[in-house]
Coordinates of all heavy atoms in Angstrom, one line a residue:
T1 N -4.3 -4.3 -7.8 CA -3.9 -4.9 -9.0 C -4.7 -6.2 -9.4 O -4.7 -6.6 -10.5 CB -2.4 -5.3 -9.0 OG1 -2.1 -6.3 -8.0 CG2 -1.5 -4.1 -8.8
Q2 N -5.4 -6.7 -8.4 CA -5.9 -8.1 -8.5 C -7.4 -8.2 -8.8 O -7.9 -9.3 -9.0 CB -5.6 -8.9 -7.3 CG -4.1 -9.0 -7.0 CD -3.3 -9.6 -8.2 OE1 -2.5 -8.9 -8.7 NE2 -3.6 -10.8 -8.6
T3 N -8.1 -7.1 -8.8 CA -9.6 -7.2 -9.0 C -9.9 -7.7 -10.4 O -9.3 -7.2 -11.4 CB -10.2 -5.8 -8.7 OG1 -10.1 -5.5 -7.4 CG2 -11.7 -5.9 -9.0
G4 N -10.8 -8.6 -10.5 CA -11.1 -9.3 -11.8 C -11.9 -8.6 -12.8 O -12.8 -9.2 -13.4
I5 N -11.7 -7.3 -13.0 CA -12.3 -6.6 -14.1 C -11.3 -5.5 -14.6 O -10.9 -4.7 -13.8 CB -13.7 -6.0 -13.7 CG1 -14.3 -5.3 -15.0 CG2 -13.5 -5.1 -12.6 CD1 -15.8 -5.0 -14.7
K6 N -10.9 -5.6 -15.8 CA -10.0 -4.6 -16.4 C -10.3 -4.4 -17.9 O -10.8 -5.3 -18.6 CB -8.5 -5.1 -16.3 CG -8.0 -5.2 -14.9 CD -6.6 -5.7 -14.8 CE -6.0 -5.6 -13.4 NZ -6.7 -6.5 -12.4
L7 N -10.1 -3.2 -18.3 CA -10.4 -2.8 -19.7 C -9.1 -2.3 -20.4 O -8.4 -1.5 -19.8 CB -11.5 -1.7 -19.7 CG -11.8 -1.2 -21.1 CD1 -12.8 -2.1 -21.8 CD2 -12.5 0.2 -20.9
F8 N -8.9 -2.6 -21.6 CA -7.6 -2.2 -22.3 C -8.0 -1.7 -23.7 O -8.9 -2.1 -24.3 CB -6.7 -3.4 -22.5 CG -6.4 -4.2 -21.3 CD1 -7.1 -5.4 -21.0 CD2 -5.5 -3.8 -20.4 CE1 -6.9 -6.1 -19.8 CE2 -5.2 -4.5 -19.2 CZ -5.9 -5.7 -19.0
R9 N -7.2 -0.7 -24.2 CA -7.2 -0.4 -25.6 C -6.4 -1.5 -26.3 O -5.2 -1.6 -26.1 CB -6.5 1.0 -25.8 CG -6.8 1.6 -27.2 CD -6.1 2.9 -27.3 NE -6.6 3.9 -26.4 CZ -7.7 4.7 -26.6 NH1 -8.4 4.6 -27.7 NH2 -8.1 5.5 -25.7
T10 N -7.1 -2.2 -27.1 CA -6.6 -3.5 -27.7 C -5.2 -3.3 -28.4 O -4.3 -4.1 -28.2 CB -7.6 -4.1 -28.6 OG1 -8.8 -4.2 -27.9 CG2 -7.1 -5.5 -29.0
E11 N -5.1 -2.3 -29.3 CA -3.9 -2.2 -30.1 C -2.7 -1.9 -29.2 O -1.5 -2.2 -29.6 CB -4.1 -1.1 -31.1 CG -4.3 0.3 -30.6 CD -4.3 1.4 -31.6 OE1 -3.9 1.0 -32.8 OE2 -4.6 2.5 -31.4
K12 N -2.9 -1.3 -28.0 CA -1.8 -0.9 -27.1 C -1.4 -2.1 -26.2 O -0.2 -2.2 -25.9 CB -2.2 0.3 -26.3 CG -2.4 1.6 -27.0 CD -1.1 2.1 -27.5 CE -1.2 3.5 -28.1 NZ 0.1 4.1 -28.5
I13 N -2.3 -2.9 -25.9 CA -2.0 -4.0 -24.9 C -1.5 -5.2 -25.6 O -0.8 -6.0 -25.0 CB -3.2 -4.3 -24.0 CG1 -2.8 -4.7 -22.6 CG2 -4.2 -5.3 -24.7 CD1 -2.0 -3.7 -21.9
R14 N -1.8 -5.4 -26.9 CA -1.4 -6.6 -27.6 C 0.1 -6.9 -27.5 O 0.6 -8.0 -27.2 CB -1.9 -6.6 -29.0 CG -1.7 -7.9 -29.7 CD -2.3 -7.9 -31.1 NE -3.8 -8.1 -31.0 CZ -4.7 -7.3 -31.4 NH1 -4.3 -6.1 -31.9 NH2 -6.0 -7.6 -31.3
P15 N 1.0 -5.9 -27.8 CA 2.4 -6.1 -27.7 C 2.9 -6.4 -26.3 O 3.9 -7.1 -26.1 CB 3.0 -4.8 -28.3 CG 2.0 -3.8 -28.2 CD 0.7 -4.5 -28.4
V16 N 2.2 -5.8 -25.3 CA 2.6 -6.1 -23.9 C 2.3 -7.6 -23.6 O 3.2 -8.3 -23.0 CB 1.8 -5.2 -23.0 CG1 2.0 -5.7 -21.5 CG2 2.1 -3.8 -23.2
L17 N 1.2 -8.1 -24.1 CA 0.9 -9.5 -23.9 C 1.9 -10.5 -24.5 O 2.2 -11.5 -23.9 CB -0.5 -9.8 -24.5 CG -1.7 -9.1 -23.8 CD1 -2.9 -9.3 -24.7 CD2 -1.9 -9.5 -22.4
K18 N 2.5 -10.1 -25.6 CA 3.4 -10.9 -26.3 C 4.8 -11.1 -25.6 O 5.5 -12.0 -26.0 CB 3.6 -10.5 -27.7 CG 2.3 -10.6 -28.6 CD 2.5 -10.2 -30.0 CE 1.2 -10.4 -30.8 NZ 1.4 -10.1 -32.3
V19 N 5.1 -10.2 -24.7 CA 6.4 -10.3 -24.0 C 6.2 -10.8 -22.6 O 7.2 -10.9 -21.8 CB 7.1 -8.9 -24.0 CG1 7.4 -8.5 -25.4 CG2 6.4 -7.9 -23.2
M20 N 5.0 -11.0 -22.1 CA 4.8 -11.5 -20.8 C 5.2 -12.9 -20.5 O 5.2 -13.7 -21.5 CB 3.3 -11.3 -20.4 CG 2.9 -9.8 -20.3 SD 1.1 -9.6 -20.0 CE 0.9 -10.5 -18.4
K21 N 5.6 -13.2 -19.3 CA 6.1 -14.5 -18.9 C 5.2 -15.3 -18.0 O 5.2 -16.5 -18.0 CB 7.5 -14.4 -18.3 CG 8.5 -13.7 -19.2 CD 8.8 -14.5 -20.4 CE 9.9 -13.9 -21.2 NZ 10.2 -14.6 -22.5
T22 N 4.4 -14.6 -17.1 CA 3.6 -15.3 -16.2 C 2.3 -15.8 -16.7 O 1.7 -15.2 -17.6 CB 3.3 -14.4 -14.9 OG1 2.7 -13.2 -15.4 CG2 4.6 -14.1 -14.2
G23 N 1.8 -16.9 -16.2 CA 0.6 -17.5 -16.8 C -0.6 -17.6 -15.8 O -1.7 -18.0 -16.2
R24 N -0.3 -17.3 -14.5 CA -1.4 -17.6 -13.5 C -1.8 -16.3 -12.8 O -2.1 -15.3 -13.5 CB -0.9 -18.7 -12.5 CG -0.7 -20.0 -13.3 CD -0.5 -21.2 -12.4 NE -0.4 -22.4 -13.2 CZ -1.4 -23.2 -13.5 NH1 -2.6 -22.9 -13.1 NH2 -1.2 -24.3 -14.2
F25 N -1.8 -16.3 -11.5 CA -2.4 -15.2 -10.8 C -1.6 -13.9 -10.8 O -2.1 -12.8 -10.5 CB -2.8 -15.6 -9.4 CG -3.8 -16.6 -9.2 CD1 -3.5 -17.9 -8.9 CD2 -5.1 -16.3 -9.5 CE1 -4.4 -18.9 -8.8 CE2 -6.1 -17.3 -9.4 CZ -5.8 -18.6 -9.1
S26 N -0.3 -14.0 -11.2 CA 0.5 -12.8 -11.3 C 0.4 -12.1 -12.6 O 1.1 -11.1 -12.8 CB 2.0 -13.2 -11.0 OG 2.1 -13.7 -9.7
F27 N -0.5 -12.6 -13.4 CA -0.7 -11.9 -14.7 C -1.1 -10.5 -14.6 O -0.5 -9.6 -15.3 CB -1.9 -12.7 -15.4 CG -2.6 -11.9 -16.5 CD1 -2.0 -11.9 -17.8 CD2 -3.7 -11.2 -16.3 CE1 -2.6 -11.2 -18.8 CE2 -4.3 -10.4 -17.3 CZ -3.8 -10.5 -18.6
D28 N -1.9 -10.1 -13.6 CA -2.4 -8.8 -13.5 C -1.2 -7.8 -13.2 O -1.1 -6.7 -13.8 CB -3.4 -8.7 -12.3 CG -4.6 -9.6 -12.5 OD1 -4.5 -10.8 -12.3 OD2 -5.7 -9.1 -12.9
I29 N -0.4 -8.2 -12.2 CA 0.7 -7.3 -11.9 C 1.7 -7.2 -13.0 O 2.3 -6.1 -13.2 CB 1.4 -7.8 -10.6 CG1 2.5 -6.8 -10.1 CG2 2.0 -9.2 -10.7 CD1 1.9 -5.5 -9.7
E30 N 1.9 -8.2 -13.8 CA 2.9 -8.1 -14.9 C 2.4 -7.2 -15.9 O 3.2 -6.3 -16.4 CB 3.2 -9.5 -15.5 CG 4.3 -9.4 -16.5 CD 4.7 -10.8 -17.1 OE1 4.0 -11.8 -16.8 OE2 5.8 -10.8 -17.7
I31 N 1.2 -7.3 -16.3 CA 0.7 -6.4 -17.4 C 0.7 -5.0 -16.9 O 1.0 -4.1 -17.7 CB -0.8 -6.9 -17.8 CG1 -1.1 -6.3 -19.2 CG2 -1.8 -6.5 -16.8 CD1 -2.3 -6.9 -19.8
L32 N 0.4 -4.7 -15.7 CA 0.4 -3.3 -15.2 C 1.8 -2.8 -15.0 O 2.1 -1.6 -15.3 CB -0.4 -3.3 -13.8 CG -1.9 -3.5 -13.9 CD1 -2.5 -3.5 -12.5 CD2 -2.6 -2.5 -14.8
A33 N 2.7 -3.7 -14.6 CA 4.1 -3.2 -14.4 C 4.7 -2.9 -15.7 O 5.4 -1.8 -15.8 CB 4.9 -4.3 -13.7

């Protein structure tokens, strides 16, 4: 979950970003979960 390269379909990931709570290194796991 932690490797520093990821690609997203923008329109699909934008709403996910808006409900996320973490701001540091756990960002990756939250977006994938």
